[in-house]
PDB file of all heavy atoms in Angstrom:
ATOM      1  N   TYR H 398       9.026  11.588   3.010  1.00 98.00           N
ATOM      2  CA  TYR H 398       8.589  11.724   4.402  1.00 98.00           C
ATOM      3  C   TYR H 398       9.229  12.984   4.986  1.00 98.00           C
ATOM      4  O   TYR H 398      10.420  13.249   4.788  1.00 98.00           O
ATOM      5  CB  TYR H 398       9.020  10.481   5.187  1.00 98.00           C
ATOM      6  CG  TYR H 398       8.551  10.471   6.622  1.00 98.00           C
ATOM      7  CD1 TYR H 398       7.247  10.107   6.946  1.00 98.00           C
ATOM      8  CD2 TYR H 398       9.411  10.822   7.657  1.00 98.00           C
ATOM      9  CE1 TYR H 398       6.810  10.096   8.261  1.00 98.00           C
ATOM     10  CE2 TYR H 398       8.990  10.813   8.980  1.00 98.00           C
ATOM     11  CZ  TYR H 398       7.689  10.447   9.272  1.00 98.00           C
ATOM     12  OH  TYR H 398       7.259  10.441  10.576  1.00 98.00           O
ATOM     13  N   ILE H 399       8.414  13.765   5.704  1.00 98.00           N
ATOM     14  CA  ILE H 399       8.861  15.047   6.265  1.00 98.00           C
ATOM     15  C   ILE H 399       8.859  14.912   7.779  1.00 98.00           C
ATOM     16  O   ILE H 399       7.827  14.593   8.374  1.00 98.00           O
ATOM     17  CB  ILE H 399       7.883  16.168   5.838  1.00 98.00           C
ATOM     18  CG1 ILE H 399       7.778  16.216   4.308  1.00 98.00           C
ATOM     19  CG2 ILE H 399       8.313  17.522   6.412  1.00 98.00           C
ATOM     20  CD1 ILE H 399       6.510  16.902   3.817  1.00 98.00           C
ATOM     21  N   ARG H 400       9.986  15.135   8.407  1.00 98.00           N
ATOM     22  CA  ARG H 400      10.082  14.964   9.866  1.00 98.00           C
ATOM     23  C   ARG H 400      10.453  16.296  10.529  1.00 98.00           C
ATOM     24  O   ARG H 400      11.631  16.678  10.530  1.00 98.00           O
ATOM     25  CB  ARG H 400      11.132  13.890  10.165  1.00 98.00           C
ATOM     26  CG  ARG H 400      11.562  13.697  11.626  1.00 98.00           C
ATOM     27  CD  ARG H 400      10.463  13.436  12.601  1.00 98.00           C
ATOM     28  NE  ARG H 400       9.681  12.219  12.425  1.00 98.00           N
ATOM     29  CZ  ARG H 400       9.885  11.059  13.046  1.00 98.00           C
ATOM     30  NH1 ARG H 400      10.884  10.917  13.877  1.00 98.00           N
ATOM     31  NH2 ARG H 400       9.080  10.044  12.847  1.00 98.00           N
ATOM     32  N   PRO H 401       9.482  17.052  11.042  1.00 98.00           N
ATOM     33  CA  PRO H 401       9.815  18.212  11.867  1.00 98.00           C
ATOM     34  C   PRO H 401      10.026  17.768  13.313  1.00 98.00           C
ATOM     35  O   PRO H 401       9.347  16.842  13.786  1.00 98.00           O
ATOM     36  CB  PRO H 401       8.564  19.093  11.764  1.00 98.00           C
ATOM     37  CG  PRO H 401       7.460  18.199  11.305  1.00 98.00           C
ATOM     38  CD  PRO H 401       8.031  16.881  10.876  1.00 98.00           C
ATOM     39  N   MET H 402      10.953  18.410  13.998  1.00 98.00           N
ATOM     40  CA  MET H 402      11.142  18.086  15.417  1.00 98.00           C
ATOM     41  C   MET H 402      11.626  19.335  16.148  1.00 98.00           C
ATOM     42  O   MET H 402      12.221  20.228  15.557  1.00 98.00           O
ATOM     43  CB  MET H 402      12.150  16.946  15.580  1.00 98.00           C
ATOM     44  CG  MET H 402      13.518  17.232  15.013  1.00 98.00           C
ATOM     45  SD  MET H 402      14.598  15.801  15.259  1.00 98.00           S
ATOM     46  CE  MET H 402      16.144  16.490  14.669  1.00 98.00           C
ATOM     47  N   ILE H 403      11.332  19.384  17.441  1.00 98.00           N
ATOM     48  CA  ILE H 403      11.818  20.495  18.275  1.00 98.00           C
ATOM     49  C   ILE H 403      12.549  19.901  19.468  1.00 98.00           C
ATOM     50  O   ILE H 403      12.011  19.027  20.162  1.00 98.00           O
ATOM     51  CB  ILE H 403      10.682  21.423  18.739  1.00 98.00           C
ATOM     52  CG1 ILE H 403       9.879  21.935  17.536  1.00 98.00           C
ATOM     53  CG2 ILE H 403      11.255  22.598  19.545  1.00 98.00           C
ATOM     54  CD1 ILE H 403       8.723  22.874  17.903  1.00 98.00           C
ATOM     55  N   LEU H 404      13.777  20.363  19.667  1.00 98.00           N
ATOM     56  CA  LEU H 404      14.650  19.794  20.691  1.00 98.00           C
ATOM     57  C   LEU H 404      15.017  20.840  21.737  1.00 98.00           C
ATOM     58  O   LEU H 404      15.295  21.994  21.394  1.00 98.00           O
ATOM     59  CB  LEU H 404      15.983  19.342  20.060  1.00 98.00           C
ATOM     60  CG  LEU H 404      15.946  18.644  18.715  1.00 98.00           C
ATOM     61  CD1 LEU H 404      17.363  18.417  18.213  1.00 98.00           C
ATOM     62  CD2 LEU H 404      15.212  17.333  18.848  1.00 98.00           C
ATOM     63  N   ALA H 405      15.049  20.435  23.008  1.00 98.00           N
ATOM     64  CA  ALA H 405      15.591  21.286  24.070  1.00 98.00           C
ATOM     65  C   ALA H 405      17.100  21.404  23.859  1.00 98.00           C
ATOM     66  O   ALA H 405      17.768  20.407  23.588  1.00 98.00           O
ATOM     67  CB  ALA H 405      15.308  20.660  25.430  1.00 98.00           C
ATOM     68  N   MET H 406      17.647  22.617  23.976  1.00 98.00           N
ATOM     69  CA  MET H 406      19.079  22.804  23.699  1.00 98.00           C
ATOM     70  C   MET H 406      19.890  23.246  24.923  1.00 98.00           C
ATOM     71  O   MET H 406      21.109  23.379  24.836  1.00 98.00           O
ATOM     72  CB  MET H 406      19.271  23.821  22.561  1.00 98.00           C
ATOM     73  CG  MET H 406      18.726  23.363  21.221  1.00 98.00           C
ATOM     74  SD  MET H 406      19.458  21.823  20.580  1.00 98.00           S
ATOM     75  CE  MET H 406      20.990  22.475  19.875  1.00 98.00           C
ATOM     76  N   ASP H 407      19.248  23.492  26.083  1.00 98.00           N
ATOM     77  CA  ASP H 407      20.032  23.901  27.263  1.00 98.00           C
ATOM     78  C   ASP H 407      20.936  22.758  27.729  1.00 98.00           C
ATOM     79  O   ASP H 407      20.584  21.587  27.573  1.00 98.00           O
ATOM     80  CB  ASP H 407      19.106  24.232  28.442  1.00 98.00           C
ATOM     81  CG  ASP H 407      18.524  25.627  28.349  1.00 98.00           C
ATOM     82  OD1 ASP H 407      18.631  26.254  27.273  1.00 98.00           O
ATOM     83  OD2 ASP H 407      17.933  26.081  29.355  1.00 98.00           O
ATOM     84  N   ARG H 408      22.066  23.142  28.355  1.00 97.00           N
ATOM     85  CA  ARG H 408      22.899  22.159  29.047  1.00 97.00           C
ATOM     86  C   ARG H 408      22.639  22.310  30.521  1.00 97.00           C
ATOM     87  O   ARG H 408      22.827  23.393  31.069  1.00 97.00           O
ATOM     88  CB  ARG H 408      24.397  22.425  28.807  1.00 97.00           C
ATOM     89  CG  ARG H 408      24.829  22.257  27.398  1.00 97.00           C
ATOM     90  CD  ARG H 408      25.994  23.135  27.113  1.00 97.00           C
ATOM     91  NE  ARG H 408      25.661  24.535  27.413  1.00 97.00           N
ATOM     92  CZ  ARG H 408      26.201  25.555  26.799  1.00 97.00           C
ATOM     93  NH1 ARG H 408      27.115  25.380  25.888  1.00 97.00           N
ATOM     94  NH2 ARG H 408      25.866  26.781  27.116  1.00 97.00           N
ATOM     95  N   CYS H 409      22.185  21.240  31.143  1.00 95.00           N
ATOM     96  CA  CYS H 409      21.907  21.296  32.576  1.00 95.00           C
ATOM     97  C   CYS H 409      21.518  19.903  33.038  1.00 95.00           C
ATOM     98  O   CYS H 409      20.707  19.242  32.394  1.00 95.00           O
ATOM     99  CB  CYS H 409      20.741  22.258  32.828  1.00 95.00           C
ATOM    100  SG  CYS H 409      20.246  22.287  34.550  1.00 95.00           S
ATOM    101  N   LEU H 410      22.096  19.460  34.161  1.00 95.00           N
ATOM    102  CA  LEU H 410      21.735  18.134  34.647  1.00 95.00           C
ATOM    103  C   LEU H 410      20.543  18.173  35.600  1.00 95.00           C
ATOM    104  O   LEU H 410      20.022  17.127  35.963  1.00 95.00           O
ATOM    105  CB  LEU H 410      22.932  17.449  35.309  1.00 95.00           C
ATOM    106  CG  LEU H 410      24.021  17.010  34.313  1.00 95.00           C
ATOM    107  CD1 LEU H 410      25.144  16.289  35.038  1.00 95.00           C
ATOM    108  CD2 LEU H 410      23.453  16.114  33.229  1.00 95.00           C
TER     109      LEU H 410
END
Side-chain angles (χ1 to χ4, degrees):
Y398 183 80
I399 303 159
R400 171 55 63 96
M402 59 181 186
I403 305 180
L404 319 174
M406 295 301 279
D407 279 13
R408 295 152 304 209
C409 175
L410 289 182

